[in-house]
Amino acid sequence: MRIALYPGSFDPITMGHLDIIKRVYKLFDHIVVGVLHNPKKNTLFTPKERTDIITNVLKAEKLDNCVSVDSFHGLLVDYTKAKNINVVIRGLRATSDYEYEHTLALMNKELSSELETFFLMASNNYSFVSSNLIKELFPFGADLKNYVHPIVMEAMKKQLS
Ligand code: PNS
């Protein structure tokens, strides 16, 4: 089975993330969306909440038969080794993402020589969308329907009320 890991914080998942999933799932037998549990990072949603939101979004988009969700903590390479996964998917929005992603990919390769990182360019519509921007704009009532799934919108309303 060709399995790929799509790791991230997903706090929350955006349409940009979903776009990457929709474009990449056809190229593999299975995609695992890996939600990072980093206790040192302040997040809007707990890892369980983020995992549940993604699970519901995948179900609503009828992607749940080929894409699953898991959470992990610690090193990404420890997770991929434990799960026998050799491919990591990352999206690239602007050139500003490049430096960090370059370091991440090269260090992961140092730590696990079998691991390959595949990059997808973010679609034009989403190249400026980030979870942080969504969290910043949401409390001011900005119209975000093109950038987050209705399930995410509901979860954010509940969380911030
Ligand atoms: O959505 P993000 O926050 O950009 O995702 C970053 C992520 C989760 C891919 C990265 O922080 C990660 O892999 N963290 C796990 C810890 C780890 O392995 N760090 C070393 C990478 S060289």
Side-chain angles (χ1 to χ4, degrees):
M1 278 256 277
R2 291 166 308 158
I3 304 178
L5 174 71
Y6 181 38
S9 304
F10 303 107
D11 186 46
I13 186 169
T14 67
M15 288 298 204
H17 294 126
L18 197 56
D19 179 60
I20 297 283
I21 294 169
K22 284 180 175 174
R23 287 160 57 203
V24 87
Y25 84 91
K26 299 168 198 149
L27 307 175
F28 293 89
D29 296 314
H30 194 82
I31 303 287
V32 179
V33 178
V35 176
L36 176 68
H37 178 191
N38 180 356
K40 285 187 191 150
K41 209 168 160 182
N42 256 340
T43 54
L44 177 60
F45 294 105
T46 65
K48 164 95 172 70
E49 286 167 338
R50 282 177 272 155
T51 305
D52 287 348
I53 291 168
I54 298 169
T55 302
N56 292 334
V57 169
L58 292 175
K59 255 188 212 153
E61 294 296 312
K62 300 192 177 13
L63 290 166
D64 51 322
N65 57 337
C66 44
V67 185
S68 59
V69 193
D70 197 5
S71 67
F72 72 101
H73 61 272
L75 284 182
L76 180 141
V77 292
D78 288 339
Y79 179 81
T80 52
K81 279 179 192 165
K83 300 285 175 181
N84 243 330
I85 296 176
N86 291 326
V87 176
V88 165
I89 307 292
R90 292 287 286 170
L92 282 177
R93 287 164 304 188
T95 45
S96 48
D97 281 344
Y98 178 82
E99 208 171 324
Y100 172 63
E101 294 299 334
H102 179 243
T103 310
L104 202 74
L106 291 188
M107 183 50 92
N108 281 335
K109 187 80 180 158
E110 282 295 306
L111 298 172
S112 175
S113 60
E114 295 295 302
L115 196 65
E116 295 294 349
T117 304
F118 287 18
F119 293 104
L120 262 80
M121 284 296 166
S123 298
N124 253 349
N125 295 354
Y126 306 120
S127 59
F128 55 92
V129 179
S130 70
S131 301
N132 283 340
L133 197 58
I134 296 295
K135 284 184 283 189
E136 197 178 318
L137 295 176
F138 185 84
F140 298 105
D143 181 2
L144 299 173
K145 67 173 178 302
N146 290 336
Y147 310 116
V148 284
H149 197 277
I151 287 170
V152 176
M153 203 83 99
E154 272 312 303
M156 288 184 79
K157 267 187 207 153
K158 216 166 124 191
Q159 195 79 342
L160 294 170
S161 63

